[in-house]
Amino acid sequence: MRRFFTFALCLFSLLGAQGQKPMADAQIDSTLLSNKIVFVDGKPAPADIQNTVDSIRRRISMFYYDQFRHFQDPSAPYFLFMSKDAQLAMGIGGAVRMRAYYDWGGAVPASGFAPYLIPMNPDPTRMRQIGTTPAGTCLFFRVLGRNKQLGEYQLYIETNFNGYQSRDLHLKKAYAIINDFTVGYAASTFSDPAALPPTVDAQGPNNKISPTSVLVRYMPVIKNKWYFALSAETPSTSIGDDGVNTKRLSDWMPDFAAFAQFQWAPGQHVRLAGILRTMGYRDLKAEKNHNVAGWGLLLSSVSRPHSQITCYATANYGHGIGSLGGDLLIGRYDLISDPDTPGRLYAPSSLGWCLGVQYNFRPNLFVSATASQSRLLPSHAVSPDEYKYGMFGAVNVFWHMTPRMQFAAEFDIAMRRNFNGDHRTARRAGVMCQFSF
């Protein structure tokens, strides 16, 4: 199985769409053209119109070929305020997104379809469920500029209505990019959102590594093909202490993450990322503090081997990385107890993978299929009813009725298996409509 995943990743990275422009990129182009440019200090001189427009188009495209952009992130803004010399641009945009879903055979008690949450002994009163959510509705502001002293810079703020009951506004991202440096609340270097296949469900693949934290990142680019990144990030560990034999220590050391990426075309790449973590706990019996090292690797790729096909692949493995995303984020798996040694915690290993393929019938109409797994691999015995692994699968169709109006439908299926062999399957049908501006 592992050989298959390795082969798939290598295949996706070596194949790139040749000749005809990929339909996925053609859809991006149509959205880039659907915007209103407002010159805040008068239109540029006629001789400078074309150069100014070309400069604007290049800047808007940065919304779509951002190294950390996920499929569900909002589109480039319809309104773009531009200075006369095209040295400064500010976009104000957002999206209104509505989802509806229906579960049967044992409802998952959340709007996100996570295998971890599948009830092993379902409540007879909750065997079926219909739900709706506006989660994913968002507002954002982005400033793009050039300065003689600073060079190229960006400022970005995004808010989402994902808070209490999926209706409260909360901050999702807030960062500044100055040349090769990023400072602020942004997607972790140990992630690759672009390599995750499209889903209607907000949870997505159950191996999804998607942490966001306050960080400082240095990311140089060599010949527009090689990308390297190194960052120090604010940790947020999830320790399985019991308060009797063990107690967690406050986080005191940043997470250190890095990646190397080769990109052969815009939006197509292969990336290897890694992370190092320090997690602390106190042995209450021995009255002694301990620090445990955690680490993880993430191999990912997105490619377009044909003008109508996009392939996605991710594989991750590590020790003490449960809190970084996917099913294991729901539990406390960065450190868990050793039943043979009371007062001792250790970092269990975990493994995850995801494969996805997208087929475009037209630039604005595509179907996709996704399969993923997340697995806990402890080195000591755990409770028989503990989560062992989960499987997730999805088939969907997306239609852009206009460049800024999107409709989608999806069928999801998932399975949870515990260490005692008990397992259950859940199913969900979902639809979505989204309006961007």
Side-chain angles (χ1 to χ4, degrees):
M1 186 67 72
R2 292 185 180 179
R3 291 181 179 177
F4 170 75
F5 298 139
T6 302
F7 172 77
L9 284 168
C10 293
L11 179 64
F12 294 161
S13 66
L14 291 174
L15 292 175
Q18 303 294 325
Q20 187 177 358
K21 188 179 185 67
M23 286 190 177
D25 288 344
Q27 173 59 31
I28 291 175
D29 289 346
S30 68
T31 308
L32 290 176
L33 295 173
S34 65
N35 52 59
K36 177 66 174 179
I37 299 171
V38 180
F39 292 92
V40 296
D41 52 1
K43 291 186 177 181
D48 297 332
I49 287 288
Q50 190 58 51
N51 289 336
T52 301
V53 170
D54 291 343
S55 176
I56 292 171
R57 298 301 177 205
R58 286 193 297 270
R59 287 169 177 257
I60 298 176
S61 70
M62 296 172 68
F63 284 84
Y64 293 98
Y65 295 114
D66 185 325
Q67 290 299 316
F68 296 95
R69 186 178 189 277
H70 187 268
F71 175 82
Q72 294 180 355
D73 287 346
S75 299
Y78 179 78
F79 296 103
L80 193 71
F81 298 93
M82 179 71 63
S83 64
K84 185 176 181 179
D85 59 3
Q87 296 298 302
L88 184 68
M90 182 178 73
I92 301 174
V96 176
R97 179 181 295 156
M98 296 294 164
R99 294 186 179 95
Y101 57 90
Y102 176 72
D103 294 356
W104 67 96
V108 173
S111 59
F113 192 67
Y116 186 97
L117 297 176
I118 296 174
M120 302 306 291
N121 298 294
D123 184 342
T125 66
R126 292 181 58 85
M127 297 302 293
R128 294 180 292 176
Q129 175 178 279
I130 188 170
T132 58
T133 175
T137 298
C138 62
L139 295 170
F140 72 89
F141 302 84
R142 186 183 295 246
V143 173
L144 305 171
R146 294 193 192 98
N147 182 277
K148 291 183 179 180
Q149 286 74 35
L150 296 177
E152 298 276 350
Y153 66 90
Q154 297 183 47
L155 304 174
Y156 186 73
I157 297 175
E158 182 181 344
T159 60
N160 260 253
F161 290 89
N162 289 346
Y164 176 69
Q165 295 184 342
S166 299
R167 288 168 175 81
D168 284 357
L169 188 67
H170 83 285
L171 184 67
K172 184 177 181 181
K173 296 177 183 177
Y175 59 84
I177 300 177
I178 303 175
N179 295 318
D180 295 334
F181 288 91
T182 300
V183 180
Y185 187 54
S188 170
T189 302
F190 187 67
S191 68
D192 191 355
L196 296 172
T199 59
V200 170
D201 181 73
Q203 187 73 17
N206 67 323
N207 80 311
K208 180 173 66 176
I209 300 295
S210 57
T212 301
S213 62
V214 177
L215 55 79
V216 177
R217 175 166 53 227
Y218 174 61
M219 191 175 76
V221 182
I222 300 176
K223 296 182 179 180
N224 289 323
K225 291 185 178 294
W226 289 98
Y227 290 73
F228 300 93
L230 178 65
S231 64
E233 307 182 1
T234 303
S236 180
T237 56
S238 183
I239 309 299
D241 58 322
D242 57 15
V244 177
N245 296 314
T246 56
K247 186 175 182 179
R248 64 168 296 155
L249 301 180
S250 57
D251 295 322
W252 62 277
M253 177 69 74
D255 291 345
F256 295 98
F259 74 65
Q261 171 181 300
F262 176 70
Q263 175 176 290
W264 57 90
Q268 302 183 65
H269 65 256
V270 60
R271 175 185 296 181
L272 178 62
I275 192 169
L276 292 174
R277 320 183 73 194
T278 299
M279 300 165 287
Y281 72 96
R282 183 171 180 81
D283 183 338
L284 297 178
K285 290 188 173 296
E287 297 184 347
K288 186 177 180 180
N289 291 349
H290 299 274
N291 290 293
V292 180
W295 60 271
L297 294 174
L298 172 65
L299 180 62
S300 57
S301 177
V302 55
S303 66
R304 299 188 173 103
H306 185 272
S307 64
Q308 294 176 277
I309 298 174
T310 303
C311 297
Y312 306 87
T314 63
N316 51 272
Y317 177 82
H319 289 255
I321 60 172
S323 64
L324 299 181
D327 265 359
L328 300 184
L329 173 64
I330 303 172
R332 297 191 299 165
Y333 295 114
D334 285 345
L335 295 179
I336 62 176
S337 61
D338 178 356
D340 300 323
T341 310
R344 177 178 178 268
L345 299 178
Y346 72 99
S349 61
S350 60
L351 172 70
W353 58 264
C354 175
L355 294 175
V357 62
Q358 170 183 322
Y359 182 84
N360 281 73
F361 296 101
R362 299 196 298 268
N364 66 335
L365 177 65
F366 70 82
V367 295
S368 77
T370 301
S372 67
Q373 182 187 86
S374 183
R375 181 182 290 265
L376 181 65
L377 301 170
S379 56
H380 299 278
V382 297
S383 174
D385 61 355
E386 186 61 82
Y387 172 96
K388 183 177 182 180
Y389 69 85
M391 296 287 297
F392 170 84
V395 178
N396 52 49
V397 56
F398 283 81
W399 175 43
H400 287 81
M401 182 177 179
T402 72
R404 296 188 176 275
M405 185 181 298
Q406 182 184 93
F407 298 93
E410 180 172 273
F411 171 73
D412 299 317
I413 187 168
M415 187 267 286
R416 169 176 171 157
R417 180 179 291 273
N418 291 343
F419 278 91
N420 61 6
D422 290 347
H423 63 279
R424 280 195 65 87
T425 300
R427 292 162 292 275
R428 170 171 290 184
V431 293
M432 182 196 74
C433 61
Q434 176 177 305
F435 308 89
S436 302
F437 62 88

